[in-house]
């Protein structure tokens, strides 16, 4: 997956008239009972167009004469266009959303509630994906596919330090990295870990049993200054201090490019990043193709590191006039048959039973096993405001650069979270 999944929940003033709309399927808006309009991103158009055609054919077989219109959008401009049409009565009937984008729209009432039992594998949706379509105990979307995070390691650099295999435990990992760091010198990053990468930073927090925020009695509060979260943040700081010798104010957006420059031995990143670094146009060493290998990231807890699950969901706007058809099309596209097609294209599936299949295939075992232990953002009404303010990135940068102690930075972050996380 060569895209960064971000929470672009900029939907202030999203819809003037949504509050007046109910959740039934006999809407005046949308395409109408015999017509369906589907909005997907260009990922489907470019990478699995046959799956779209197959879903269309399945729906048309059940409903002869139905018309299906497709529109494809790039990630940067999709939500701007969606926000504009959601304020009108001419809405798409199915829309693809990045899973971190869902929350703000669910809070605003933009999507129709669905019955999960009508969708294949809903009883086994991956936990992080299920969380992304659930708000206030109700379900407002269907997980489409997922992408996880893995460690990627240069076995040639490891071999220079006498290391012949990837580490299985966190203690082994740190021992190996210490040897690599000593061998390569102080300008080399044994582990290139951008400080502002909150997906990695929060993996340490959740591995330690901490959390970004927790709900108590219907109210959310920041939890980064809890003892467990502090331990996770200190584990993260150790990595930055010991092995990250690049710019400690950077985020992860160009990590694959930096890795391709040959100044680091390891990254913990989205599964596609290692392969992209090894692409000849990015690999400045000429060695990554044969030497960069993925492995499951071990965590300090002794378990596999919990990873953030990025991915996409499919939702039905509440104003759609063809909600029942839309639900059928979604199940034809992202149901049991569709998942097999998505897996064949290198995606993680939306459910545990298909993930078990991938775990047994050497070609997909690493990302599949890594995805088993996962986390997702707090499903709080004001979470989008937390992300927009970059609270986590600022905290991690202050910790990594030494501007604040771990305890002080976590306390500051909790205070910032508490100000907005309960706001709709």
């Amino acid at each position: 997956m060569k895209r960064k999944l971000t929470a672009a929940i900029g939907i202030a003033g999203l819809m003037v008239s949504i509050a007046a709309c109910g959740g039934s399927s006999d809407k005046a808006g949308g395409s109408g009972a015999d017509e369906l309009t589907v909005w997907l991103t260009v990922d489907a158009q470019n990478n699995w167009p046959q799956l779209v055609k197959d879903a269309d054919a399945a729906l048309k077989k059940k409903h002869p004469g139905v018309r299906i219109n497709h529109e494809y959008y790039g990630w940067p401009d999709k939500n701007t266009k969606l926000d504009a049409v959601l304020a009108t009565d001419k809405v798409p009937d199915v829309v693809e959303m990045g899973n971190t984008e869902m929350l703000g729209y669910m809070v605003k009432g933009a999507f129709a509630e669905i019955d999960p039992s009508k969708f294949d594998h809903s009883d086994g949706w991956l936990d992080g994906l299920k969380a992304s379509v659930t708000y206030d105990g109700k379900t407002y979307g269907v997980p489409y596919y997922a992408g996880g995070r893995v460690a990627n390691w240069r076995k040639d650099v490891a071999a220079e330090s006498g290391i012949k295999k990837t580490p299985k435990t966190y203690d082994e990992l740190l021992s190996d990295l210490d040897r690599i760091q000593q061998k390569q010198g102080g300008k080399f990053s044994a582990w290139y870990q951008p400080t502002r990468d909150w997906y990695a930073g929060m993996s340490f927090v959740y591995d330690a049993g901490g959390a970004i925020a927790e709900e108590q009695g219907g109210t959310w509060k920041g939890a980064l200054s809890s003892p467990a979260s502090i331990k996770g943040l200190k584990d993260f700081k150790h990595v930055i201090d010991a092995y990250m010798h690049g710019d400690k104010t950077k985020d992860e957006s160009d990590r694959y490019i930096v890795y391709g420059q040959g100044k680091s031995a390891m990254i913990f990143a989205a599964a596609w990043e290692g392969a992209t670094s090894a692409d000849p146009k990015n690999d400045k060493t000429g060695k990554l193709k044969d030497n960069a290998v993925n492995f499951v990231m071990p965590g300090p807890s002794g378990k596999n590191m919990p990873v953030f699950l990025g991915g996409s969901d499919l939702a039905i706007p509440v104003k759609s006039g063809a909600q029942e058809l839309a639900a059928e099309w979604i199940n034809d596209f992202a149901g049991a048959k569709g998942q097999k097609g998505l897996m064949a294209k290198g995606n993680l599936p939306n459910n545990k039973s298909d993930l078990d299949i991938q775990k047994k295939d050497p070609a997909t075992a690493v990302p599949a096993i890594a995805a088993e232990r996962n986390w997702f953002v707090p499903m709080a009404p004001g979470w989008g405001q937390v992300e927009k303010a970059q609270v986590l990135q600022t905290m991690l940068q202050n910790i990594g650069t030494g501007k604040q102690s771990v305890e002080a930075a976590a306390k500051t972050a909790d205070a910032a979270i508490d100000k907005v996380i309960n706001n709709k």
Side-chain angles (χ1 to χ4, degrees), residues 321-355:
Q323 290 183 20
E324 292 182 5
L325 278 180
E328 288 188 52
W329 187 92
I330 288 173
N331 201 44
D332 289 333
F333 182 56
K337 183 178 179 180
Q339 289 301 311
K340 296 293 188 290
L342 290 165
M343 291 162 62
K345 293 295 183 178
N347 299 295
L348 291 175
N350 67 3
N351 66 91
K352 296 172 184 177
S353 58
D354 282 333
L355 193 70

Side-chain angles (χ1 to χ4, degrees), residues 8-68:
I9 314 180
I11 57 172
L14 176 65
M15 296 147 285
V16 176
S17 56
I18 277 184
C21 296
S24 65
S25 60
D26 55 345
K27 298 286 169 284
S31 302
D34 60 350
E35 186 175 1
L36 201 67
T37 297
V38 177
W39 281 20
L40 299 173
T41 69
V42 292
D43 297 330
Q45 184 181 34
N46 296 336
N47 300 320
W48 43 87
Q50 188 58 48
L51 300 185
V52 178
K53 293 178 182 177
D54 291 345
D56 289 354
L59 189 68
K60 289 178 178 178
K61 184 176 180 180
K62 292 179 288 185
H63 302 278
V66 67
R67 298 189 303 277
I68 306 173

Side-chain angles (χ1 to χ4, degrees), residues 70-379:
H70 291 282
E71 296 185 27
Y72 294 94
Y73 294 91
W75 285 100
D77 59 356
K78 173 183 66 69
N79 285 5
T80 299
K81 297 183 186 216
L82 179 61
D83 294 348
V85 300
L86 287 178
T88 74
D89 287 329
K90 189 64 176 176
V91 300
D93 303 294
V94 177
V95 61
E96 176 182 351
M97 305 293 297
N99 62 354
T100 57
E101 298 171 343
M102 283 289 293
L103 179 57
Y105 289 85
M106 292 190 293
V107 169
K108 296 292 184 181
F111 298 142
E113 182 183 357
I114 65 163
D115 178 358
S117 68
K118 294 183 178 180
F119 298 89
D120 295 347
H121 296 307
S122 60
D123 58 345
W125 284 341
L126 299 182
D127 295 340
L129 297 185
K130 181 178 180 180
S132 75
V133 297
T134 307
Y135 178 68
D136 200 22
K138 299 178 181 179
T139 305
Y140 293 95
V142 175
Y144 173 11
Y145 66 94
R149 281 162 172 73
V150 298
N152 189 281
W153 164 284
R154 284 189 58 181
K155 61 183 182 181
D156 57 333
V157 174
E160 292 176 15
S161 296
I163 301 164
K164 298 180 180 180
K165 60 182 181 179
T166 55
K168 301 298 183 185
T169 70
Y170 195 70
D171 287 343
E172 287 178 7
L173 173 64
L174 296 190
S175 176
D176 290 347
L177 290 173
D178 287 341
R179 293 167 64 183
I180 290 170
Q181 191 65 66
Q182 184 176 15
K183 174 72 174 178
Q184 299 298 329
K187 294 184 179 180
F188 187 86
S189 293
W191 177 348
Y192 180 75
Q193 178 52 64
T195 310
R196 291 176 65 85
D197 175 12
W198 66 277
Y199 299 110
M202 295 305 101
S203 287
F204 280 89
V205 167
Y206 282 96
D207 181 68
I212 300 170
E214 295 179 335
E215 184 182 17
Q216 295 181 350
T219 299
W220 288 85
K221 286 186 64 64
L224 292 165
S225 54
S226 71
S229 294
I230 291 294
K231 181 188 183 305
L233 290 171
K234 286 185 174 180
D235 289 335
F236 181 74
K237 178 174 170 55
H238 174 75
V239 169
I240 300 298
D241 290 347
Y243 311 119
M244 170 59 180
H245 300 294
D247 184 348
K248 293 184 180 181
T249 65
K250 291 190 68 172
D251 66 15
E252 71 279 12
S253 58
D254 66 346
R255 173 171 43 208
Y256 69 95
I257 295 174
V258 176
Y259 192 43
Q261 293 171 346
K263 297 180 181 179
S264 55
M266 174 187 148
I267 55 175
F268 173 44
W272 58 264
E273 292 187 54
T276 305
S277 298
D279 187 299
K281 68 186 177 197
N282 297 319
D283 180 10
K284 305 306 179 184
T285 72
K287 299 178 180 179
L288 266 67
K289 182 178 179 181
D290 296 324
N291 288 292
V293 295
N294 286 336
F295 64 97
V296 178
M297 178 70 185
S301 68
K303 301 177 183 178
N304 292 340
M305 184 74 85
V307 298
F308 174 82
L309 280 186
S312 281
D313 299 323
L314 298 167
I316 303 169
V318 72
K319 290 184 179 180
S320 166
Q323 290 183 20
E324 292 182 5
L325 278 180
E328 288 188 52
W329 187 92
I330 288 173
N331 201 44
D332 289 333
F333 182 56
K337 183 178 179 180
Q339 289 301 311
K340 296 293 188 290
L342 290 165
M343 291 162 62
K345 293 295 183 178
N347 299 295
L348 291 175
N350 67 3
N351 66 91
K352 296 172 184 177
S353 58
D354 282 333
L355 193 70
D356 285 341
I357 295 172
Q358 286 192 326
K359 285 163 51 182
K360 298 173 184 176
D361 182 346
T364 56
V366 168
I369 292 171
E372 280 189 297
R373 193 170 183 232
N374 57 75
W375 61 271
F376 198 65
V377 300
M379 296 302 284

